[in-house]
Amino acid sequence: MAVTAQPALDAYRVRADFPIFEQTIHGKPLAFLDSAASSQKPRQMLEAMVRFYETSYANVHRGVYELAERATAGLENARERVATLLNAPAAREVVFVRNATEGINLVAYAWGLSNLGPGDVVVATELEHHSNFVPWQYVARRTGADFRVLPLDDSGELRLDALDALVGGGRVKVVAAGIVSNALGTVNPIETLARWAHEHGAIVVADAAQAAPHRTLDVQALGCDFLALSGHKMCGPSGIGVLWGRAELLEAMEPFLTGGHMIRSVGLERTTWGELPHKFEAGTAPMAEAVGLAAAIDYLEAIGFDAIERHEHELTAYALGRLSELPWVTTFGPPLERRAGIVSFDVDGVHPHDVAQVLDFEGVAIRAGHHCCQPLMRRLGVTATNRASFYVYTVREEIDRLVEGLYRVRKAFS
Amino acid sequence: MTTGEFDQLYRELILDHYKNPRNHGLLDPADARAEGQNPLCGDEIAVTVRLGAGDVIEEVGFEGRGCAISQAATSMLSDLVKGRTAGEVALMPKEELLNELGIPLTPVRLKCAILGLGVLKLALHKAKGTPLPEEWGTAAKDLVLD
Ligand SMILES: Cc1ncc(COP(=O)(O)O)c(C=O)c1O
C-alpha cells in the first residue's frame, strides 16, 4: 500500500464526536453496523447547522439585506465545497437535490425523456440499488427504448465480458452503474465502464451514494457524465443530495422541476430558464442542509479519505475473518481487495429479520432485507440478507459483539 | 440479551409453530388460493383452502419463506380459521390473530404477523367474492391481479 501522509484513523476518538453513542440500547452500548443505510452525525456538523439557523438564516438569493447575503454565502460555499470534493471543473455543475434518488430521477426525466426513443438501449446493472434501476427502467418504457441489464458473476462482480452482447443492434445511450454496491460492497470498475460507454456514444450515470462517504471521488478521472450522492450517508443531514453533471449536458437539458428561482423571465405565454445550477433548483433550497453537508465534508476531509478507506478495509478483513469461523454463516460478495466496508451474510435456516431482531436485543444494529436490490437478491437466490456495514466510528468490538450475537441467534433458532 | 425481551417476542409457542408449522403444504385441488409478499423484508406466503357446504373452511394448507413471526402467525391462523365460513374470515379483525400471538409487535413486525391473514382473505375474495379489508384501499386491486 502506498505511503500516505494521513495518520491512521483513531475510531475511539472519532466516536467521541458522535452524540448518538452516548446512550444505551436495550441496556447495552450501541453497536451501530448500519451506516450504509445512513450514517450517524458528528457534533461538528450539527453545530454548523444550528449556528447557521441562529446567526445567518434567511431565504437565499432574494433579499439584499445582510442576513440573506450570509445565507446565500452559506449555500454557495457549500456548492464550492462539493465541487472541490468531486474535483468538478466548475461549481455551477453541482446541483443540490433531496438525495441521490432525486438526482438520478432528474437525469432520467430531464435528459432521458428528450434523448431516448425506440432503437435506443439503456443499460443498468444487476447490482444496482433500485434508485439507479427503476428510473431507467421506467423512462425506457415511457420512451420506447430498450432496458437491458448487465449481469453479475457468482461473487457479485459485474460481467464486463457481457457488455458487448448487450448492444444487440441498438444504440446504447445510457449506462447506469453504482460505484460501490450497497448490498455487497462490490467496488465497480467505473472507469472501464465509462470508456466502453463513451466508445458507444453513451453517457454514464454513476451512483456514488455508497462511495462518496468512504473514498476520494474525482469525476474527471472516473470519466462519468453524471454522478449522484446523498448527504445523509456521509455524516451530513437528511434532505440534501447532490447531482453533478457535465456543464454542456446540463445546459442542453430541459428542466426537471419548474417554478420559483429556476427562471430567467416569466411571461404570460412562455418562460425562459435561469443559468446553471439554478435551472435545476426550483423552489427554496435546502440551505441549512447545504451548510451541514459542507461541514460534514470538512469533517471527513480532516480525517482523510485515505485513512477512512484503510480503516474500513481493516474492519472488513476482520469481519470476514470472524464470520468465517462460523460454519453456519455464508457471506456474499467479492474478495476483500474489491470490497468496501460492507458484509452481507446469511445465517443457515434463520430469516434475516429474526437475526436482526435478536441482534437488536443485544444493542447491535444491522440491516435485514433486500437492501433495495431485488434484482440482485433474485440473482443470489435469496429474498433477503443480513448486512453489516462500517464507517469512521466503527470499532472491532462492535464486530465481536455481532459475532457473539450470531451465536445467540443460532442457539435460539436451531 | 435480557432473556425477558427475547422470550416476549419469541415465546415458546411461536418458536414451536415456526419449527413445526401446522397445516404446512399446499392443497391440490383447492377451492381458493393466493400468494402474497411483504416487500419490506421479503416474507412470502402462499395459502390454499378447501371449502365445504356453506363455504365453511374445512382445510387450510400454506407454504412460505420468511421470518419466524410471519410463519408462526400463519400456522396459528390456519388452525384458528378451520370451521369458520369464508364470510366470517373476511371480516375477522387482525386483532384476533394478534391476541393469539400474544406478543408486543413494532409496526414493522406487525406487517410480518398479518401477512398470512391478508393472503387468506385475498384467496377467499378471489374464489368467493368476499370483501377485502377497507384499509387496503386501492392496493387491494393490485393484489387481486396476482
Ligand atoms: C448505492 C445506493 N444508491 C442509492 C441510494 C439511495 O439513496 P437515497 O435514498 O438517499 O436517495 C442508496 C441508499 O440506500 C444506495 O445505497
Side-chain angles (χ1 to χ4, degrees), chain A residues 36-37 99-102 129 131 180-182 207 209-210 230 232-233:
Chain A
N99 46 37
T101 303
E102 185 177 302
H129 189 281
S131 276
V180 171
S181 153
N182 64 303
D207 173 1
Q210 212 58 248
S230 287
H232 68 89
K233 292 190 199 274

Side-chain angles (χ1 to χ4, degrees), chain A residues 92-93 95 245-248 250-251 274-280:
Chain A
R92 68 198 182 97
E93 297 178 328
V95 178
R246 286 203 292 120
E248 56 277 29
L250 289 172
E251 267 160 6
E275 296 295 329
L276 293 183
H278 311 296
K279 179 168 110 179
F280 293 107

Side-chain angles (χ1 to χ4, degrees), chain A residues 253-255 258-259 262-265 271-275 279:
Chain A
M253 273 155 65
E254 294 292 319
T258 61
M262 52 76 67
I263 54 97
R264 180 199 307 278
S265 122
T271 293
T272 51
W273 317 132
E275 296 295 329
K279 179 168 110 179

Side-chain angles (χ1 to χ4, degrees), chain A residues 26 28 349-351 353-354 357-358 361-362 369-370 374 381 383-384 408 412-414, chain B residues 1 5-6 9-10 15 18-19 39-44 65-68 108-109 112:
Chain A
H26 300 287
K28 310 269 168 61
V350 190
H351 190 273
H353 233 155
D354 295 314
Q357 183 88 63
V358 172
F361 296 143
E362 303 293 324
H370 54 61
Q374 286 181 347
T383 53
R408 288 181 193 248
F413 285 96
S414 60
Chain B
M1 137 173 75
E5 275 169 328
F6 179 80
L9 192 59
Y10 296 103
L15 287 179
Y18 174 55
K19 291 175 186 170
L40 230 68
C41 52
D43 291 337
E44 295 171 345
R65 286 210 289 181
C67 65
V108 173
R109 299 316 297 267
C112 307

Side-chain angles (χ1 to χ4, degrees), chain A residues 175-244:
Chain A
V175 176
I179 300 177
V180 171
S181 153
N182 64 303
L184 298 182
T186 318
V187 181
N188 290 323
I190 293 293
E191 295 90 338
T192 313
L193 268 180
R195 260 196 310 278
W196 181 87
H198 290 153
E199 276 163 23
H200 289 79
I203 62 162
V204 174
V205 182
D207 173 1
Q210 212 58 248
H214 309 283
R215 43 189 57 224
T216 308
L217 287 177
D218 178 335
V219 290
Q220 303 186 53
L222 286 170
C224 54
D225 299 282
F226 293 97
L227 177 142
L229 61 85
S230 287
H232 68 89
K233 292 190 199 274
M234 49 192 297
C235 294
S238 57
I240 189 161
V242 168
L243 175 73
W244 168 83

